Amino acid sequence: MKAKFLSLILLPSLSWAVPNISDGKLLYDESCTRCHQNPYQSLGWNEINNFVELEYMIGACSNYFQLEWNEQDIEDTSEYLNTEFFLLKK
């Protein structure tokens, strides 16, 4: 009985953790194209070499521009950019 109860509690949080590329594209289009244009264009001074760096830079931009993005927004945007442009291994 406890296992059923726990699975009901944890199930919604697990579905929340899956990156959503469509949401990432929307967030990118709304917030990132001010600097990076669409499609993505590097600014040249900080090439991304791995997925962790990509997530870090998206989080840093979110903080710098006071976008108030949560972790899911950062994951979604990272997944979108990686799928469409970077093709980095995770």
Side-chain angles (χ1 to χ4, degrees):
M1 185 67 173
K2 274 187 176 180
K4 246 185 183 178
F5 179 72
L6 285 175
S7 67
L8 290 175
I9 291 173
L10 294 176
L11 190 58
S13 66
L14 291 176
S15 65
W16 177 256
V18 176
N20 183 321
I21 293 173
S22 298
D23 287 350
K25 179 177 179 1
L26 179 65
L27 289 163
Y28 178 81
D29 289 344
E30 288 179 349
S31 302
C32 305
T33 55
R34 288 183 261 163
C35 296
H36 296 282
Q37 302 175 4
N38 197 7
Y40 173 80
Q41 182 177 353
S42 171
L43 297 178
W45 52 268
N46 61 342
E47 285 304 315
I48 304 298
N49 296 310
N50 60 57
F51 193 78
V52 173
E53 288 179 4
L54 177 60
E55 283 188 314
Y56 175 82
M57 287 305 296
I58 291 170
C61 286
S62 169
N63 290 335
Y64 181 80
F65 292 106
Q66 300 174 347
L67 300 176
E68 297 182 16
W69 284 8
N70 60 36
E71 288 299 315
Q72 187 67 46
D73 295 335
I74 293 168
E75 287 179 29
D76 292 346
T77 306
S78 299
E79 191 67 28
Y80 164 69
L81 286 173
N82 193 46
T83 301
E84 293 295 317
F85 304 105
F86 288 98
L87 307 174
L88 302 166
K89 293 181 182 179
K90 290 185 183 182

